[in-house]
Each structure stands twice: as C-alpha cells, then as structure tokens.
Amino acid sequence: MTVVTLPQAPARLGRFVLRMFPPHIYVTYGLLWALALESSAVALTGAAWRPSAATWLRAVSVVLALLFLRMLDEQKDLAYDRVHHPDRPLVTGAITMAELRGAMAAITVVGTALNAALSPTAALLLLAALGYGLLLAALERLSPAVRDRQLLELAVTYPVQVLLGIYVYGSLVAAGTVIADWRGTALLALCACVFLHFEFARKTAWEARPGARLYSADLGARRSAVVTAGFAAGAVGCQVLLFAPAGPLGLSPCLAAALPAWGTWRFLAVRRGGWPMPTAMGFVVATYLALVARAALRP
C-alpha cells in the first residue's frame, strides 16, 4: 500500500499528467476542438468571430473535462493494465486512486464555478458530461460485454464526447451568441466524424499484438479501413452542407481531406502494420485550424 502525504500529491499528479495526458496532444486537441466549434457556430450566423474571455473559459473547461475523463479511464482500466501495461502509474503506485479521485473532485468544483460565471446552463451541461463519464465507469464494472467488446464500448462511451460538444454549443445558445437550429447538429456531426476518423485509425491494423484492443480485430482490416475513411468523408460532407453557400473559400477546410485519402491508400497498399497515424492526427489538426482560420478571417 502506497502512503502519500498531502505535500507530495501535487508533484505526483503533475508527473501523472505529463505522462498520461501529454499537454502537446490533449491540450492542443481540446483547445482546437472548442475553438473550431465555437468559431464555426458564430460564423454561420453571419457575424464576425473574435475570441473572448468566454471563449477561453469554454476551451479550458473542455481541456479540464478531458483530463477528468483520462483520470477516470486510468481507474476503470486498472485490471486490464495490470496484465498488459504493468508500467502504468496506477499499477506501479506512482499515483493512487485517492489522488486521482481528489483531482477529479477538484476539477468538478473548478469547472462548475468557472461556468457558473457564464450561465447556469453552461455549468449544468458540463456536469452532465462529467456525470455521464462516471455512469460509464459503473456500467463497465457491471457489464463484461461493454468492457470487452470494442465496438459496443465505443457506442456506449462516445456520447461523452458528444456531450462536451453540446456543452460548447449549448453555452453559446444560452449566452445568446447563436440560435439553436439544424446547423448546430451538423457542426456536432462534423466534430464527431473528425474524432471518430482518428479513433478508428489508431485502432486499425493488419496484425494485432497480444492484448491489443483493435476495431480491426472485430471488423477485419479492410472493413475497418473503410469505416475509418468513411468518417473522414462524413466530415467533408458536413462541411459542404454547412459552408458551400459561402463559396469556394468557405470549403477551404475540406483540403485537409487529402491526408486521410493518402492514409487510406497507403494502409490498403502496404497491407501490413497499422494506419499511418500522422495522417489521422494531421487531419484533426488541419481541419480544426482551417475552421478557426476561416471564421477569424471573415470580414
């Protein structure tokens, strides 16, 4: 049993975050996602978008929520990690359950307080996303099928990402910045397709190493590749639906589709190894950056 004094906890949590929640990946993703969603929602109203204090509050809240969920994942995957990832912090004692739960409680309090300054709706929407994450942890403990079947687990766990998107969009609606309509649903679908392209890419391979949890193990490599490419195509389709009326410049973010197109061709041509992840990560970054730039450069 690991005994930790209170003064040690911040340093141990810091090391956990740097290892299991690398800021250059997770913080970059959270910021780009929140900025792309907000800026696109505002741009679709015809108004100019400029980041405000509320913008950064939403972005920070998304990053904190992602950290909360990452800490939760570390706890619910403990039994699996003891077998397949014995070097993980929770397995080795580099962090404890109590420390992670204390940090999650602090994130909940801070996130709720920050969003209460925006609106009660924003605070409740953020709490709904965090609460769904906790519900999932309980469900996975009770249901071996959800825990062990990759596609079922994705179907059950992915809505927490949707709830975070709804938090960003819903807080804009509550602030009177945008009016809720079908375009909000299309924007959320766009973000879902971008994320799911990356999610399937990282779990699609021709071979599976022992203990690997891959979608391609259930679907087969070719069908998993088709699904992966299909999500990228879905993201492009959502952009055409939303931004085609603005003319060719409005569709400039679609140029990022060259990355998943090349990744799909390479994966199917080489027929060994995994999906070329730089193309999947590049698609996320390029799409979101292009959406933010499109909104920011709007006259």
Side-chain angles (χ1 to χ4, degrees):
M1 180 178 178
T2 303
V3 178
V4 181
T5 62
L6 188 60
Q8 293 176 305
R12 287 163 58 86
L13 284 167
R15 288 191 292 270
F16 170 85
V17 169
L18 289 175
R19 179 176 174 189
M20 305 306 299
F21 191 82
H24 66 285
I25 296 176
Y26 286 91
V27 175
T28 299
Y29 168 72
L31 290 176
L32 286 177
W33 177 24
L35 293 175
L37 182 51
E38 176 182 311
S39 63
S40 297
V42 173
L44 286 168
T45 68
W49 174 79
R50 297 294 181 271
S52 63
T55 301
W56 299 116
L57 191 153
R58 293 184 188 100
V60 168
S61 295
V62 168
V63 172
L64 288 175
L66 292 176
L67 177 57
F68 178 100
L69 295 171
R70 184 66 197 87
M71 290 176 167
L72 186 60
D73 284 343
E74 188 73 6
Q75 296 171 71
K76 66 186 182 66
D77 292 342
L78 179 58
Y80 178 87
D81 288 340
R82 281 180 174 142
V83 177
H84 299 286
H85 302 288
D87 62 334
R88 289 284 176 88
L90 195 55
V91 178
T92 63
I95 199 77
T96 66
M97 287 276 197
E99 288 172 296
L100 290 178
R101 290 170 181 171
M104 290 165 62
I107 288 171
T108 303
V109 171
V110 170
T112 303
L114 288 175
N115 282 277
L118 284 180
S119 69
T121 299
L124 289 173
L125 289 174
L126 182 66
L127 286 173
L130 301 183
Y132 187 80
L134 293 172
L135 177 64
L136 286 175
L139 179 61
E140 289 191 31
R141 284 196 302 269
L142 296 173
S143 172
V146 172
R147 186 172 60 248
D148 300 331
R149 293 169 57 186
Q150 282 288 283
L151 293 172
L152 178 60
E153 182 186 26
L154 178 65
V156 173
T157 60
Y158 180 69
V160 73
Q161 292 267 342
V162 176
L163 288 171
L164 283 177
I166 291 173
Y167 152 73
V168 174
Y169 188 79
S171 65
L172 289 169
V173 173
T177 306
V178 303
I179 297 174
D181 58 19
W182 66 270
R183 292 174 297 183
T185 302
L187 274 175
L188 293 173
L190 165 58
C191 293
C193 286
V194 169
F195 173 82
L196 288 171
H197 169 74
F198 173 80
E199 171 66 13
F200 265 80
R202 76 187 185 93
K203 294 185 178 181
T204 293
W206 289 100
E207 311 91 11
R209 66 183 185 276
R213 294 178 171 180
L214 301 177
Y215 300 124
S216 53
D218 294 331
L219 296 174
R222 288 185 181 83
R223 280 186 291 179
S224 190
V226 169
V227 173
T228 304
F231 281 121
V236 173
C238 289
Q239 292 180 66
V240 171
L241 177 65
L242 289 165
F243 303 121
L249 183 62
L251 294 176
S252 56
C254 294
L255 295 174
L259 290 167
W262 186 84
T264 303
W265 174 84
R266 185 180 183 279
F267 179 79
L268 293 175
V270 173
R271 298 184 65 181
R272 67 175 182 273
W275 194 276
M277 286 310 296
T279 66
M281 291 185 288
F283 179 63
V284 175
V285 173
T287 299
Y288 284 160
L289 277 177
L291 288 172
V292 173
R294 178 190 175 279
L297 296 175
R298 183 185 179 92

